[in-house]
Amino acid sequence: MDVSDLPVSPAVKDSIRSDGIERLYPPQAEAVDAGVTRGENVVAAIPTAAGKTLIAELAMLTAGGPGLYIVPLRALAREKYEHFKSLPNVSAGITTSDVEPEATAVDQADIIVATAEKVDAAIRNGAAWIERLACVVIDEVHLVESKSRGPTLEVIVATLQQRAPGLQIVALSATIANPEAIANWLNATLVSSTWRPVSLRTGLYNPADDAVLFDDGNRLSVGTGSLDDKASTDFDPDLDTIITRELIKQATASGGQCLAFVRSRQQAEALAEHLLSESFDSCPELRASIMDSGSSAVSRQLAACAETGVAFHHAGLRNSHRELVEKAFRDRTLRVICATPTLAAGVNVPARRVVIRDLERFSGDSMEALPVMEVHQMCGRAGRPHLDPYGEAVLIGDIDTGHLNTTESSVMDARDFETDRYALWQRYIEAGPEAVHSQLPAEDPLQTHVLAIIASGFAASTTEVIQVLTGTFFAHESGTQTLQSHVESAISDLISMSLIESGDGSISATQIGRTVSKQYLTPTTGAQLRRGIKTMHEMSTSNITPLTALELICSTPDMYTTYLGNKERATTYRFAMRNANQFTTTVEDASPFEAWLSSVKIVRIVAELLDGTEISALTSDFQVGPGDIETYLERTTWLCGATDAIMRTMSLETEMAVFDRIHQSLFERMETESPLIDEQDWFI
Ligand code: ADP
């Protein structure tokens, strides 16, 4: 299908052509055939780089009213907003927590880009633009599977359908095992395709012959057998790291760029350091920009790596540094990024070769195999459109394959691999990704959304709450009966937390319940804050200090958690004992104790920030990344404001004064830190 055949204005057609698009890619043409430009609901489950943005754009520009584009991450929101803003005669608006537009900008926009949490907040606050929407595009709809993001996505879809009747829904998904289930839920036509503009071959390293075997039958010799350099480096890299290095060298020697994924922040840094001696093309601009915008030990390390054309990328970096690294890679001045898997879920950074060194990651107390969908998402970054003839993704590491069954292979001769490697091959290369399922029935999300529905006045009885939630993926998957029993139990929990009350056959939110919902707190955090505020009220005024406020908010479930090393455990404990009379939680009552003690570590960090200590000093004192500190600061500022609002409803003047002061100092500190944005799981 030719661009000239599209039902959009000549100016928009010119703009599409100016992006190098003359003909639609096959999945795009299928989406048009499925009615995406005629107001039909469409689910497009297609690989990365198959052109989902144009499908979304066509839907929103032909919907006959404003379009809303929902993304999971703030960084993605900005990327999409810049794109839609550049379309001729189209006004675009953006609403994320770091960009607070004039209400009118969103009110009058043809296309609004927003994070799911911002849309949720707009719905709860009765924003007028919601009801005028003609089309909603849900990017990355497979994230219904995510424990933190999925439930919000489901509830938004359910509420939007009721608030904006006739709304066209277009959902964009990675390839998943059950796209039909999503299409059924949304009453949409499914466009499912594995077509990619740049073909992708995926391979697994086979130690038996020191080569990568690809799914297209190709074999790539790695050459680690001839290497005897384990002793020649400072930190004795393991074999997987040596293989990774060789694969990166091969790819860059022929003009390619390479992304290497490892299991942890520390490993990303160590791999980048290991590659320093390779001297890829130097990146002086990246080095200079990093040094200009931060002087922590991590920044200096990153700048030194950039000098040799390598960078690392993980959530511990300042957001501005992550963006600089991504941009340098997209501009092709940077050859290699060593990253944690979070990079694959963020903005578009295509590479010729993707090397996945680690297939496991530490999760709490044990190593866990990465989900297939996540590995596919990393592999999908391989192949730069218009630059590479094909993309290559190589898997190296091991997982515990004891529980995996191997079956007859259709593509690869099983004898090529040892049994363990063959099980890996089947799991990650031959078999498809997992199916996605609703995460709404978990306690916290369900309570949060039920409270929001009641507090915003959308429902005044159990039956009405159920009616609102009938449009969720959960209801679709599990049926109304199951939904009903979950909703009833959430309502009784909310009543026991005094966030809602019942009477005369109807239910309504208490004043605190309304505040908790408006402030976007989870009910457990709201109830905990309320209890803590009461304790604070009973404390002697001389003991109420900034530490009291920080301990109260940092110990809530809505605060970010941190890791407590053995040595700092003792220091943190001593700090807690020394300041016990200023805390609302006693050491005996702290439960679970370890989690509470970790929150005291954050109390110490934020207290030092408020005293004016530099972030760079805190990162080395507390062994956390600058990005973590930005997140602590951002979250404490939010939680401080929210607690202030709860106190207002309780009319507690003295305590409010303490919070007001801290809130003000936190804000001032936020302002001295350059853009404080984006933590992968924190968007509002
Ligand atoms: P996705 O969101 O599916 O990962 P994008 O929509 O970002 O992919 O598109 C990836 C790249 O492909 C962009 O640079 C885009 O301009 C380009 N592209 C999209 N559709 C076409 C097309 N039909 N012809 C040529 N290039 C295209």
Side-chain angles (χ1 to χ4, degrees):
M1 182 180 287
D2 201 274
V3 168
S4 54
D5 300 330
L6 293 173
V8 288
S9 71
V12 169
K13 285 181 193 169
D14 287 345
S15 153
I16 294 174
R17 287 196 196 96
S18 72
D19 283 340
I21 304 175
E22 291 292 339
R23 296 187 59 73
L24 296 201
Y25 284 155
Q28 293 168 335
E30 273 186 62
V32 172
D33 289 343
V36 84
T37 57
R38 298 190 305 272
E40 302 290 338
N41 293 354
V42 172
V43 169
I46 56 181
T48 314
K52 290 193 275 292
T53 314
L54 182 62
I55 296 177
E57 188 176 312
L58 292 175
M60 292 190 289
L61 293 179
T62 53
L68 169 65
Y69 190 99
I70 303 176
V71 287
L73 297 171
R74 288 187 267 187
L76 282 173
R78 273 193 305 281
E79 190 182 76
K80 298 299 177 193
Y81 168 69
E82 293 300 331
H83 172 76
F84 296 133
K85 199 174 68 165
S86 70
L87 294 172
N89 308 322
V90 172
S91 68
I94 178 168
T95 166
T96 63
S97 59
D98 53 326
V99 190
E100 276 301 345
E102 295 294 315
T104 49
V106 170
D107 266 353
Q108 289 161 14
D110 301 315
I111 294 180
I112 301 159
V113 184
T115 52
E117 286 67 19
K118 270 285 169 180
V119 177
D120 192 19
I123 294 172
R124 288 187 201 187
N125 294 315
W129 56 268
I130 293 286
E131 284 171 13
R132 290 199 295 272
L133 291 173
C135 174
V136 60
V137 178
I138 307 155
D139 197 2
E140 319 248 6
V141 73
H142 53 270
L143 287 177
V144 288
E145 174 72 15
S146 151
K147 287 188 169 54
S148 56
R149 304 160 196 176
T152 306
L153 213 50
E154 284 188 49
V155 175
I156 289 176
V157 171
T159 7
L160 282 178
Q161 278 176 304
Q162 295 181 8
R163 300 290 303 279
L167 183 75
Q168 178 188 12
I169 302 180
V170 175
L172 310 172
S173 170
T175 30
I176 51 173
N178 58 341
E180 303 80 11
I182 300 280
N184 275 337
W185 165 41
L186 299 174
N187 196 15
T189 305
L190 174 65
V191 172
S192 175
S193 167
T194 52
W195 183 92
R196 288 176 49 98
V198 183
S199 64
L200 169 68
R201 61 187 198 198
T202 308
L204 179 69
Y205 177 74
N206 189 18
D209 66 341
D210 190 23
V212 178
L213 302 184
F214 285 101
D215 54 358
D216 63 359
N218 271 296
R219 182 180 170 283
L220 172 75
S221 176
V222 179
T224 49
S226 61
L227 293 171
D228 186 22
D229 59 353
K230 289 189 188 181
S232 66
T233 57
D234 289 343
F235 50 88
D236 191 17
D238 58 24
L239 187 60
D240 288 353
T241 300
I242 294 177
I243 300 161
T244 305
R245 185 184 73 204
E246 290 310 302
L247 287 167
I248 293 173
K249 275 165 62 179
Q250 284 179 1
T252 52
S254 55
Q257 290 174 282
C258 202
L259 284 177
F261 288 103
V262 293
R263 64 180 172 274
S264 68
R265 298 172 181 191
Q266 194 247 335
Q267 289 294 322
E269 291 173 18
L271 180 60
E273 292 273 331
H274 175 64
L275 293 170
L276 283 183
S277 58
E278 298 302 334
S279 294
F280 302 107
D281 294 341
S282 164
C283 242
E285 300 85 13
L286 176 60
R287 183 187 176 284
S289 325
I290 291 167
M291 287 315 287
D292 282 350
S293 60
S295 65
S296 65
V298 185
S299 316
R300 286 195 296 278
Q301 190 186 356
L302 183 59
C305 289
E307 182 74 28
T308 61
V310 185
F312 50 88
H313 185 291
H314 56 63
L317 288 182
R318 298 190 75 136
N319 181 67
S320 54
H321 288 173
R322 273 183 277 162
E323 281 181 354
L324 285 169
V325 169
E326 289 158 8
K327 183 169 181 311
F329 198 75
R330 268 197 305 270
D331 294 346
R332 303 206 304 280
T333 53
L334 176 67
R335 283 310 184 81
V336 182
I337 302 183
C338 307
T340 52
T342 47
L343 177 66
V347 294
N348 199 14
V349 275
R352 174 176 300 175
R353 184 175 284 173
V354 165
V355 181
I356 305 175
R357 193 197 68 179
D358 302 332
L359 289 165
E360 290 183 312
R361 143 179 76 209
F362 190 67
S363 74
D365 46 14
S366 62
M367 293 302 272
E368 238 174 42
L370 296 181
V372 179
M373 203 194 326
E374 201 172 328
V375 169
H376 284 195
Q377 201 143 22
M378 293 186 239
C379 295
R381 296 291 178 190
R384 300 167 303 176
H386 315 298
L387 284 174
D388 296 324
Y390 53 81
E392 279 178 344
V394 180
L395 281 51
I396 298 177
D398 279 315
I399 61 170
D400 175 4
T401 51
H403 63 289
L404 299 177
N405 295 321
T406 49
T407 51
E408 267 304 273
S409 168
S410 54
V411 184
M412 177 67 55
D413 187 342
R415 283 165 305 177
D416 287 336
F417 288 108
E418 305 268 322
T419 315
D420 279 5
R421 302 300 287 171
Y422 186 57
L424 270 184
W425 171 274
Q426 289 215 314
R427 173 177 162 91
Y428 287 115
I429 298 182
E430 243 177 40
E434 299 89 351
V436 295
H437 299 288
S438 170
Q439 303 297 325
L440 184 61
E443 212 167 71
D444 266 350
L446 194 64
Q447 286 173 1
T448 303
H449 290 291
V450 168
L451 176 62
I453 289 165
I454 298 166
S456 341
F458 298 148
S461 66
T462 308
T463 316
E464 286 176 9
V465 174
I466 292 166
Q467 252 161 25
V468 174
L469 293 176
T470 307
T472 58
F473 189 42
F474 174 46
H476 191 83
E477 275 197 307
S478 310
T480 319
Q481 207 99 67
T482 313
L483 174 67
Q484 174 160 357
S485 73
H486 278 79
V487 167
E488 281 166 358
S489 118
I491 287 179
S492 97
D493 291 341
L494 289 166
I495 290 176
S496 66
M497 286 188 252
S498 304
L499 299 176
I500 60 175
E501 55 199 358
S502 63
D504 297 340
S506 71
I507 44 177
S508 59
T510 59
Q511 223 185 352
I512 293 186
R514 271 197 297 279
T515 308
V516 166
S517 181
K518 244 194 159 110
Q519 295 295 327
Y520 220 82
L521 299 169
T522 54
T524 31
T525 289
Q528 192 171 320
L529 285 174
R530 182 167 160 274
R531 280 195 306 276
I533 292 168
K534 281 188 170 161
T535 309
M536 202 170 155
H537 187 58
E538 285 153 15
M539 283 166 63
S540 145
T541 326
S542 60
N543 284 339
I544 298 177
T545 67
L547 286 184
T548 319
L550 291 178
E551 187 272 330
L552 176 58
I553 58 183
C554 290
S555 58
T556 61
D558 280 341
M559 188 62 199
Y560 196 68
T561 51
T562 187
Y563 170 78
L564 204 53
N566 264 344
K567 230 160 97 190
E568 55 184 358
R569 207 174 167 281
T571 337
T572 311
Y573 184 73
R574 279 198 297 277
F575 176 87
M577 294 308 284
R578 221 175 26 252
N579 297 292
N581 61 345
Q582 298 168 60
F583 290 171
T584 58
T585 315
T586 62
V587 172
E588 297 75 41
D589 287 346
S591 168
F593 181 74
E594 275 306 310
W596 177 77
L597 204 58
S598 305
S599 69
V600 174
K601 171 177 169 179
I602 304 181
V603 171
R604 292 179 66 200
I605 296 174
V606 181
E608 294 225 12
L609 269 177
L610 290 177
D611 281 346
T613 311
E614 287 301 320
I615 287 188
S616 54
L618 293 174
T619 53
S620 49
D621 289 354
F622 289 93
Q623 297 295 306
V624 288
D628 297 313
I629 296 185
E630 289 183 341
T631 308
Y632 301 153
L633 188 51
E634 192 178 48
R635 284 207 182 188
T636 35
T637 308
W638 158 54
L639 287 169
C640 201
T643 315
D644 204 24
I646 294 180
M647 284 175 169
R648 218 168 282 279
T649 64
M650 296 165 80
S651 309
L652 298 176
E653 305 295 330
T654 322
E655 292 79 2
M656 264 168 60
V658 179
F659 272 81
D660 278 346
R661 260 201 324 276
I662 298 175
H663 201 200
Q664 186 56 32
S665 317
L666 286 168
F667 257 126
E668 282 164 15
R669 187 67 212 237
M670 289 259 284
E671 274 171 8
T672 61
E673 301 301 335
S674 59
L676 273 168
I677 32 175
D678 234 276
E679 175 51 37
Q680 298 287 344
D681 62 351
W682 163 239
F683 320 103
I684 66 165

